[in-house]
Amino acid sequence: MMKEKPKLFGVVGHPIQHSLSPLMHNAVFKKLGLNYSYSAFDIEKNDLDIFLDRCREGNFLGLNVTIPYKISVIRYLDSLDEKAKLINAVNTIKFEDSMLLGHNTDGLGCVRALEEEGERIKGKRILVLGAGGAARAIAFQCTLEGAEIAISNRTMEKAMRLAKEIREKLNRRILVVNFSESSIREIISTTDILINTTSVGMHPKVRRSPISPEVLDPELTVMDIVYNPIETQLLKNAKRIGCKTIDGVGMFVHQGAESLKIWLDIKPPIDVMRRVVLEKLG
Ligand code: ATR
């Protein structure tokens, strides 16, 4: 009997060669004995629509979307679920009868990773560094979970736009903080958890940190959503000062697990996913 062609999954972004999503998802498919295959697709901005049309006609069940397309991909989708619509960014696409449905699992992934490390979100003051696709998901989800959010971004206007959207959609107060050392130092004195959602510190420029160590204080919990390297310069600095630190592996694993639930309605083997990622990152 001819072996059936595997159903396809993937992650689309640019650049993408360092993504561990293929490794993590293929480990799940192997563990569960599923004839599925997950690949990374490095696609230039101008080719994104053609790429998605090819997937639509192909054997695809799902895609993840990463830097820099989480926001711009929306225009090519057929519909968004409630959460993706709220957040206005998509990291997960489900193919259903050649329709592309947008979802977002980043916010939930981040919250799960924080909870796993014993952090309660409700009532916490959280400073989000960055205002891109990941920041959107995290700021919205943490607001929904009852945190008080402040946002600081290199491009102030993007932080203002995100804060305005959260205020209007959720009717909650959101602070916008200047991306300057003095302003960040000041807000950190009344912050419980800092979450870096910028790409600063990511491989290969591993010596960089989005903020200087001088602004940190030992009472702060510092989370970095960058997972490659596991211990970013920001986390190194924070650890040295005595902060509790949370690396990006937890969020990476949980956002992937939530995507698998959307695509396949399965209970993902979190332990397998975390193990292969940690092994790869050393
Ligand atoms: P993602 O989908 O992962 O959130 P993104 O939407 O491209 O990726 O957002 C990247 C974030 O990292 C942005 O907040 C960006 O700041 P700008 O809005 O000013 O571009 C931030 N970022 C990237 N490089 C940075 C740098 N060198 N210093 C500070 N912030 C940086």
Side-chain angles (χ1 to χ4, degrees):
M1 202 171 76
M2 265 240 301
K3 211 169 159 217
E4 221 181 295
K5 268 209 230 150
K7 295 273 192 245
L8 303 177
F9 292 86
V11 55
V12 55
H14 183 68
I16 195 75
Q17 65 269 28
H18 293 290
S19 171
L20 296 187
S21 290
L23 175 86
M24 181 170 77
H25 287 284
N26 285 322
V28 172
F29 299 153
K30 189 164 172 220
K31 171 83 184 172
L32 301 181
L34 299 168
N35 186 24
Y36 297 156
S37 165
Y38 189 114
S39 313
F41 299 98
D42 194 333
I43 303 294
E44 302 265 348
K45 190 169 87 195
N46 293 333
D47 298 334
L48 187 59
D49 56 341
I50 296 171
F51 169 74
L52 290 171
D53 274 341
R54 290 229 178 94
C55 295
R56 196 194 288 273
E57 287 150 23
N59 209 14
F60 275 82
L61 288 185
L63 280 175
N64 282 124
V65 182
T66 189
I67 296 178
Y69 301 132
K70 287 180 181 175
I71 299 166
S72 55
V73 76
I74 290 179
R75 74 178 78 119
Y76 306 119
L77 305 180
D78 297 298
S79 71
L80 300 181
D81 85 332
E82 211 178 309
K83 183 64 71 65
K85 206 179 288 168
L86 180 73
I87 293 169
N88 228 339
V90 161
N91 81 326
T92 303
I93 300 173
K94 183 176 186 177
F95 292 77
E96 239 175 58
D97 307 325
S98 294
M99 300 275 271
L100 276 61
L101 315 179
H103 297 256
N104 198 309
T105 67
D106 278 337
L108 212 49
C110 177
V111 164
R112 295 244 191 288
L114 282 165
E115 286 171 348
E116 199 170 62
E117 294 294 326
E119 294 294 328
R120 239 173 72 100
I121 317 288
K122 195 171 163 52
K124 288 288 169 66
R125 293 164 299 188
I126 298 180
L127 172 61
V128 176
L129 291 183
R136 279 188 162 268
I138 291 168
F140 267 103
Q141 188 70 38
C142 289
T143 303
L144 288 174
E145 310 264 343
E148 284 178 36
I149 303 292
I151 304 169
S152 187
N153 190 48
R154 177 178 63 179
T155 311
M156 176 85 153
E157 196 221 333
K158 266 166 73 183
M160 307 258 271
R161 205 182 313 146
L162 173 54
K164 183 166 178 274
E165 260 182 67
I166 301 177
R167 282 186 210 115
E168 287 174 359
K169 288 178 169 170
L170 300 179
N171 194 23
R172 293 276 297 279
R173 209 172 74 103
I174 307 290
L175 273 176
V176 174
V177 178
N178 228 313
F179 197 71
S180 71
E181 199 163 313
S182 59
S183 301
I184 290 182
R185 189 201 310 268
E186 195 183 325
I187 186 79
I188 279 180
S189 67
T190 57
T191 296
D192 301 304
I193 305 171
L194 176 141
I195 306 177
N196 175 46
T197 75
T198 77
S199 46
V200 182
M202 192 187 288
H203 186 84
K205 296 183 184 162
V206 299
R207 300 292 289 277
R208 298 174 57 200
S209 167
I211 51 171
S212 105
E214 279 76 52
V215 305
L216 297 172
D217 108 33
E219 299 296 308
L220 191 66
T221 294
V222 179
M223 180 190 212
D224 203 327
I225 74 162
V226 170
Y227 65 84
N228 189 1
I230 297 186
E231 189 169 70
T232 59
Q233 189 62 48
L234 170 66
L235 293 185
K236 276 197 184 117
N237 297 343
K239 206 176 260 181
R240 200 174 304 128
I241 283 160
C243 303
K244 174 175 172 181
T245 59
I246 302 175
D247 65 50
V249 173
M251 165 156 165
F252 177 60
V253 166
H254 283 287
Q255 60 78 33
E258 295 300 320
S259 297
L260 283 164
K261 287 187 199 167
I262 289 169
W263 294 325
L264 299 171
D265 199 20
I266 56 167
K267 189 167 179 285
I270 301 278
D271 51 336
V272 172
M273 297 167 77
R274 194 188 315 269
R275 187 169 3 103
V276 293
V277 172
L278 287 175
E279 270 169 19
K280 180 70 188 181
L281 293 172

PDB file of all heavy atoms in Angstrom, residues 258-282:
ATOM      1  N   GLU A 258      -0.311  25.388  22.828  1.00  0.00           N
ATOM      2  CA  GLU A 258      -1.641  25.960  22.570  1.00  0.00           C
ATOM      3  C   GLU A 258      -1.964  25.914  21.067  1.00  0.00           C
ATOM      4  O   GLU A 258      -3.110  25.705  20.689  1.00  0.00           O
ATOM      5  CB  GLU A 258      -1.730  27.396  23.097  1.00  0.00           C
ATOM      6  CG  GLU A 258      -1.624  27.524  24.621  1.00  0.00           C
ATOM      7  CD  GLU A 258      -2.717  26.778  25.374  1.00  0.00           C
ATOM      8  OE1 GLU A 258      -3.871  26.806  24.926  1.00  0.00           O
ATOM      9  OE2 GLU A 258      -2.400  26.150  26.405  1.00  0.00           O
ATOM     10  N   SER A 259      -0.948  26.103  20.215  1.00  0.00           N
ATOM     11  CA  SER A 259      -1.171  25.987  18.762  1.00  0.00           C
ATOM     12  C   SER A 259      -1.593  24.559  18.410  1.00  0.00           C
ATOM     13  O   SER A 259      -2.531  24.353  17.630  1.00  0.00           O
ATOM     14  CB  SER A 259       0.103  26.332  17.978  1.00  0.00           C
ATOM     15  OG  SER A 259       0.475  27.670  18.186  1.00  0.00           O
ATOM     16  N   LEU A 260      -0.915  23.583  18.995  1.00  0.00           N
ATOM     17  CA  LEU A 260      -1.251  22.174  18.715  1.00  0.00           C
ATOM     18  C   LEU A 260      -2.683  21.853  19.124  1.00  0.00           C
ATOM     19  O   LEU A 260      -3.386  21.105  18.430  1.00  0.00           O
ATOM     20  CB  LEU A 260      -0.275  21.250  19.463  1.00  0.00           C
ATOM     21  CG  LEU A 260       1.108  21.122  18.823  1.00  0.00           C
ATOM     22  CD1 LEU A 260       2.104  20.517  19.813  1.00  0.00           C
ATOM     23  CD2 LEU A 260       1.045  20.268  17.551  1.00  0.00           C
ATOM     24  N   LYS A 261      -3.112  22.426  20.242  1.00  0.00           N
ATOM     25  CA  LYS A 261      -4.498  22.194  20.680  1.00  0.00           C
ATOM     26  C   LYS A 261      -5.468  22.738  19.631  1.00  0.00           C
ATOM     27  O   LYS A 261      -6.481  22.116  19.328  1.00  0.00           O
ATOM     28  CB  LYS A 261      -4.759  22.893  22.019  1.00  0.00           C
ATOM     29  CG  LYS A 261      -4.090  22.230  23.211  1.00  0.00           C
ATOM     30  CD  LYS A 261      -4.582  22.911  24.485  1.00  0.00           C
ATOM     31  CE  LYS A 261      -3.647  22.651  25.645  1.00  0.00           C
ATOM     32  NZ  LYS A 261      -3.940  23.540  26.786  1.00  0.00           N
ATOM     33  N   ILE A 262      -5.150  23.922  19.085  1.00  0.00           N
ATOM     34  CA  ILE A 262      -6.029  24.534  18.073  1.00  0.00           C
ATOM     35  C   ILE A 262      -6.048  23.695  16.791  1.00  0.00           C
ATOM     36  O   ILE A 262      -7.094  23.425  16.220  1.00  0.00           O
ATOM     37  CB  ILE A 262      -5.569  25.979  17.780  1.00  0.00           C
ATOM     38  CG1 ILE A 262      -5.881  26.869  18.983  1.00  0.00           C
ATOM     39  CG2 ILE A 262      -6.217  26.521  16.504  1.00  0.00           C
ATOM     40  CD1 ILE A 262      -5.255  28.250  18.928  1.00  0.00           C
ATOM     41  N   TRP A 263      -4.871  23.242  16.354  1.00  0.00           N
ATOM     42  CA  TRP A 263      -4.809  22.494  15.092  1.00  0.00           C
ATOM     43  C   TRP A 263      -5.422  21.101  15.206  1.00  0.00           C
ATOM     44  O   TRP A 263      -6.085  20.623  14.308  1.00  0.00           O
ATOM     45  CB  TRP A 263      -3.351  22.320  14.652  1.00  0.00           C
ATOM     46  CG  TRP A 263      -2.656  23.576  14.277  1.00  0.00           C
ATOM     47  CD1 TRP A 263      -3.195  24.677  13.656  1.00  0.00           C
ATOM     48  CD2 TRP A 263      -1.264  23.875  14.489  1.00  0.00           C
ATOM     49  NE1 TRP A 263      -2.226  25.625  13.477  1.00  0.00           N
ATOM     50  CE2 TRP A 263      -1.038  25.167  13.968  1.00  0.00           C
ATOM     51  CE3 TRP A 263      -0.190  23.188  15.058  1.00  0.00           C
ATOM     52  CZ2 TRP A 263       0.224  25.779  14.006  1.00  0.00           C
ATOM     53  CZ3 TRP A 263       1.053  23.785  15.088  1.00  0.00           C
ATOM     54  CH2 TRP A 263       1.261  25.075  14.568  1.00  0.00           C
ATOM     55  N   LEU A 264      -5.115  20.416  16.305  1.00  0.00           N
ATOM     56  CA  LEU A 264      -5.364  18.975  16.359  1.00  0.00           C
ATOM     57  C   LEU A 264      -6.261  18.528  17.504  1.00  0.00           C
ATOM     58  O   LEU A 264      -6.612  17.349  17.591  1.00  0.00           O
ATOM     59  CB  LEU A 264      -4.017  18.231  16.481  1.00  0.00           C
ATOM     60  CG  LEU A 264      -3.047  18.451  15.321  1.00  0.00           C
ATOM     61  CD1 LEU A 264      -1.685  17.860  15.648  1.00  0.00           C
ATOM     62  CD2 LEU A 264      -3.603  17.832  14.041  1.00  0.00           C
ATOM     63  N   ASP A 265      -6.588  19.459  18.397  1.00  0.00           N
ATOM     64  CA  ASP A 265      -7.427  19.109  19.533  1.00  0.00           C
ATOM     65  C   ASP A 265      -6.834  17.936  20.327  1.00  0.00           C
ATOM     66  O   ASP A 265      -7.524  16.960  20.633  1.00  0.00           O
ATOM     67  CB  ASP A 265      -8.845  18.779  19.025  1.00  0.00           C
ATOM     68  CG  ASP A 265      -9.864  18.861  20.145  1.00  0.00           C
ATOM     69  OD1 ASP A 265      -9.558  19.512  21.167  1.00  0.00           O
ATOM     70  OD2 ASP A 265     -10.944  18.251  20.010  1.00  0.00           O
ATOM     71  N   ILE A 266      -5.523  18.042  20.594  1.00  0.00           N
ATOM     72  CA  ILE A 266      -4.845  16.997  21.377  1.00  0.00           C
ATOM     73  C   ILE A 266      -4.323  17.605  22.665  1.00  0.00           C
ATOM     74  O   ILE A 266      -4.279  18.822  22.811  1.00  0.00           O
ATOM     75  CB  ILE A 266      -3.633  16.389  20.618  1.00  0.00           C
ATOM     76  CG1 ILE A 266      -2.653  17.509  20.217  1.00  0.00           C
ATOM     77  CG2 ILE A 266      -4.091  15.573  19.426  1.00  0.00           C
ATOM     78  CD1 ILE A 266      -1.307  17.022  19.754  1.00  0.00           C
ATOM     79  N   LYS A 267      -3.903  16.731  23.589  1.00  0.00           N
ATOM     80  CA  LYS A 267      -3.231  17.200  24.797  1.00  0.00           C
ATOM     81  C   LYS A 267      -1.730  17.085  24.528  1.00  0.00           C
ATOM     82  O   LYS A 267      -1.187  15.986  24.478  1.00  0.00           O
ATOM     83  CB  LYS A 267      -3.643  16.307  25.976  1.00  0.00           C
ATOM     84  CG  LYS A 267      -3.172  16.821  27.318  1.00  0.00           C
ATOM     85  CD  LYS A 267      -3.881  16.077  28.447  1.00  0.00           C
ATOM     86  CE  LYS A 267      -3.385  16.574  29.793  1.00  0.00           C
ATOM     87  NZ  LYS A 267      -2.046  16.082  30.127  1.00  0.00           N
ATOM     88  N   PRO A 268      -1.054  18.196  24.292  1.00  0.00           N
ATOM     89  CA  PRO A 268       0.348  18.121  23.872  1.00  0.00           C
ATOM     90  C   PRO A 268       1.266  17.611  24.984  1.00  0.00           C
ATOM     91  O   PRO A 268       1.042  17.930  26.153  1.00  0.00           O
ATOM     92  CB  PRO A 268       0.698  19.586  23.537  1.00  0.00           C
ATOM     93  CG  PRO A 268      -0.598  20.296  23.446  1.00  0.00           C
ATOM     94  CD  PRO A 268      -1.543  19.583  24.359  1.00  0.00           C
ATOM     95  N   PRO A 269       2.267  16.805  24.613  1.00  0.00           N
ATOM     96  CA  PRO A 269       3.228  16.308  25.612  1.00  0.00           C
ATOM     97  C   PRO A 269       4.262  17.396  25.954  1.00  0.00           C
ATOM     98  O   PRO A 269       5.348  17.422  25.394  1.00  0.00           O
ATOM     99  CB  PRO A 269       3.874  15.120  24.895  1.00  0.00           C
ATOM    100  CG  PRO A 269       3.762  15.443  23.442  1.00  0.00           C
ATOM    101  CD  PRO A 269       2.546  16.300  23.267  1.00  0.00           C
ATOM    102  N   ILE A 270       3.886  18.254  26.900  1.00  0.00           N
ATOM    103  CA  ILE A 270       4.706  19.416  27.281  1.00  0.00           C
ATOM    104  C   ILE A 270       6.127  18.992  27.666  1.00  0.00           C
ATOM    105  O   ILE A 270       7.101  19.651  27.300  1.00  0.00           O
ATOM    106  CB  ILE A 270       4.063  20.153  28.478  1.00  0.00           C
ATOM    107  CG1 ILE A 270       2.653  20.617  28.141  1.00  0.00           C
ATOM    108  CG2 ILE A 270       4.939  21.309  28.959  1.00  0.00           C
ATOM    109  CD1 ILE A 270       2.567  21.897  27.379  1.00  0.00           C
ATOM    110  N   ASP A 271       6.228  17.875  28.379  1.00  0.00           N
ATOM    111  CA  ASP A 271       7.555  17.441  28.871  1.00  0.00           C
ATOM    112  C   ASP A 271       8.490  17.104  27.700  1.00  0.00           C
ATOM    113  O   ASP A 271       9.664  17.470  27.707  1.00  0.00           O
ATOM    114  CB  ASP A 271       7.419  16.257  29.840  1.00  0.00           C
ATOM    115  CG  ASP A 271       6.562  15.139  29.263  1.00  0.00           C
ATOM    116  OD1 ASP A 271       5.725  15.431  28.369  1.00  0.00           O
ATOM    117  OD2 ASP A 271       6.726  13.979  29.669  1.00  0.00           O
ATOM    118  N   VAL A 272       7.941  16.441  26.670  1.00  0.00           N
ATOM    119  CA  VAL A 272       8.744  16.103  25.481  1.00  0.00           C
ATOM    120  C   VAL A 272       9.184  17.385  24.779  1.00  0.00           C
ATOM    121  O   VAL A 272      10.344  17.536  24.367  1.00  0.00           O
ATOM    122  CB  VAL A 272       7.923  15.237  24.496  1.00  0.00           C
ATOM    123  CG1 VAL A 272       8.670  15.035  23.177  1.00  0.00           C
ATOM    124  CG2 VAL A 272       7.577  13.894  25.122  1.00  0.00           C
ATOM    125  N   MET A 273       8.259  18.310  24.649  1.00  0.00           N
ATOM    126  CA  MET A 273       8.542  19.568  23.939  1.00  0.00           C
ATOM    127  C   MET A 273       9.655  20.333  24.657  1.00  0.00           C
ATOM    128  O   MET A 273      10.622  20.783  24.041  1.00  0.00           O
ATOM    129  CB  MET A 273       7.270  20.430  23.864  1.00  0.00           C
ATOM    130  CG  MET A 273       6.158  19.751  23.075  1.00  0.00           C
ATOM    131  SD  MET A 273       4.550  20.529  23.264  1.00  0.00           S
ATOM    132  CE  MET A 273       4.719  21.963  22.206  1.00  0.00           C
ATOM    133  N   ARG A 274       9.537  20.446  25.977  1.00  0.00           N
ATOM    134  CA  ARG A 274      10.538  21.182  26.739  1.00  0.00           C
ATOM    135  C   ARG A 274      11.902  20.471  26.659  1.00  0.00           C
ATOM    136  O   ARG A 274      12.934  21.096  26.485  1.00  0.00           O
ATOM    137  CB  ARG A 274      10.103  21.316  28.202  1.00  0.00           C
ATOM    138  CG  ARG A 274      10.929  22.363  28.974  1.00  0.00           C
ATOM    139  CD  ARG A 274      10.630  22.358  30.457  1.00  0.00           C
ATOM    140  NE  ARG A 274       9.219  22.296  30.748  1.00  0.00           N
ATOM    141  CZ  ARG A 274       8.437  23.359  30.910  1.00  0.00           C
ATOM    142  NH1 ARG A 274       8.937  24.567  30.816  1.00  0.00           N
ATOM    143  NH2 ARG A 274       7.158  23.208  31.175  1.00  0.00           N
ATOM    144  N   ARG A 275      11.868  19.156  26.741  1.00  0.00           N
ATOM    145  CA  ARG A 275      13.127  18.402  26.745  1.00  0.00           C
ATOM    146  C   ARG A 275      13.912  18.603  25.447  1.00  0.00           C
ATOM    147  O   ARG A 275      15.106  18.905  25.486  1.00  0.00           O
ATOM    148  CB  ARG A 275      12.871  16.906  27.011  1.00  0.00           C
ATOM    149  CG  ARG A 275      14.156  16.133  27.179  1.00  0.00           C
ATOM    150  CD  ARG A 275      14.030  14.710  27.703  1.00  0.00           C
ATOM    151  NE  ARG A 275      12.685  14.241  27.927  1.00  0.00           N
ATOM    152  CZ  ARG A 275      12.028  13.410  27.121  1.00  0.00           C
ATOM    153  NH1 ARG A 275      12.584  12.959  26.014  1.00  0.00           N
ATOM    154  NH2 ARG A 275      10.799  13.018  27.422  1.00  0.00           N
ATOM    155  N   VAL A 276      13.243  18.486  24.296  1.00  0.00           N
ATOM    156  CA  VAL A 276      14.002  18.618  23.035  1.00  0.00           C
ATOM    157  C   VAL A 276      14.555  20.034  22.867  1.00  0.00           C
ATOM    158  O   VAL A 276      15.653  20.222  22.353  1.00  0.00           O
ATOM    159  CB  VAL A 276      13.202  18.203  21.769  1.00  0.00           C
ATOM    160  CG1 VAL A 276      12.908  16.727  21.777  1.00  0.00           C
ATOM    161  CG2 VAL A 276      11.950  19.017  21.571  1.00  0.00           C
ATOM    162  N   VAL A 277      13.789  21.013  23.316  1.00  0.00           N
ATOM    163  CA  VAL A 277      14.248  22.404  23.200  1.00  0.00           C
ATOM    164  C   VAL A 277      15.456  22.633  24.107  1.00  0.00           C
ATOM    165  O   VAL A 277      16.476  23.200  23.681  1.00  0.00           O
ATOM    166  CB  VAL A 277      13.108  23.390  23.545  1.00  0.00           C
ATOM    167  CG1 VAL A 277      13.627  24.819  23.621  1.00  0.00           C
ATOM    168  CG2 VAL A 277      11.995  23.295  22.508  1.00  0.00           C
ATOM    169  N   LEU A 278      15.354  22.172  25.344  1.00  0.00           N
ATOM    170  CA  LEU A 278      16.467  22.362  26.290  1.00  0.00           C
ATOM    171  C   LEU A 278      17.710  21.613  25.830  1.00  0.00           C
ATOM    172  O   LEU A 278      18.823  22.112  25.928  1.00  0.00           O
ATOM    173  CB  LEU A 278      16.055  21.907  27.702  1.00  0.00           C
ATOM    174  CG  LEU A 278      15.071  22.839  28.415  1.00  0.00           C
ATOM    175  CD1 LEU A 278      14.632  22.242  29.743  1.00  0.00           C
ATOM    176  CD2 LEU A 278      15.674  24.230  28.628  1.00  0.00           C
ATOM    177  N   GLU A 279      17.514  20.409  25.290  1.00  0.00           N
ATOM    178  CA  GLU A 279      18.671  19.635  24.781  1.00  0.00           C
ATOM    179  C   GLU A 279      19.385  20.395  23.670  1.00  0.00           C
ATOM    180  O   GLU A 279      20.598  20.495  23.655  1.00  0.00           O
ATOM    181  CB  GLU A 279      18.195  18.273  24.246  1.00  0.00           C
ATOM    182  CG  GLU A 279      18.186  17.176  25.310  1.00  0.00           C
ATOM    183  CD  GLU A 279      17.468  15.918  24.812  1.00  0.00           C
ATOM    184  OE1 GLU A 279      17.313  15.751  23.578  1.00  0.00           O
ATOM    185  OE2 GLU A 279      17.063  15.130  25.686  1.00  0.00           O
ATOM    186  N   LYS A 280      18.583  20.952  22.770  1.00  0.00           N
ATOM    187  CA  LYS A 280      19.149  21.658  21.629  1.00  0.00           C
ATOM    188  C   LYS A 280      19.900  22.920  22.064  1.00  0.00           C
ATOM    189  O   LYS A 280      20.959  23.253  21.551  1.00  0.00           O
ATOM    190  CB  LYS A 280      18.022  22.025  20.653  1.00  0.00           C
ATOM    191  CG  LYS A 280      18.469  22.759  19.426  1.00  0.00           C
ATOM    192  CD  LYS A 280      19.253  21.842  18.514  1.00  0.00           C
ATOM    193  CE  LYS A 280      19.865  22.631  17.370  1.00  0.00           C
ATOM    194  NZ  LYS A 280      20.608  21.774  16.455  1.00  0.00           N
ATOM    195  N   LEU A 281      19.315  23.618  23.042  1.00  0.00           N
ATOM    196  CA  LEU A 281      19.935  24.878  23.485  1.00  0.00           C
ATOM    197  C   LEU A 281      21.081  24.629  24.463  1.00  0.00           C
ATOM    198  O   LEU A 281      21.763  25.569  24.871  1.00  0.00           O
ATOM    199  CB  LEU A 281      18.871  25.778  24.132  1.00  0.00           C
ATOM    200  CG  LEU A 281      17.784  26.301  23.195  1.00  0.00           C
ATOM    201  CD1 LEU A 281      16.702  27.011  23.994  1.00  0.00           C
ATOM    202  CD2 LEU A 281      18.365  27.243  22.147  1.00  0.00           C
ATOM    203  N   GLY A 282      21.268  23.392  24.844  1.00  0.00           N
ATOM    204  CA  GLY A 282      22.363  23.072  25.759  1.00  0.00           C
ATOM    205  C   GLY A 282      22.040  23.556  27.154  1.00  0.00           C
ATOM    206  O   GLY A 282      22.872  24.183  27.801  1.00  0.00           O
TER     207      GLY A 282
END
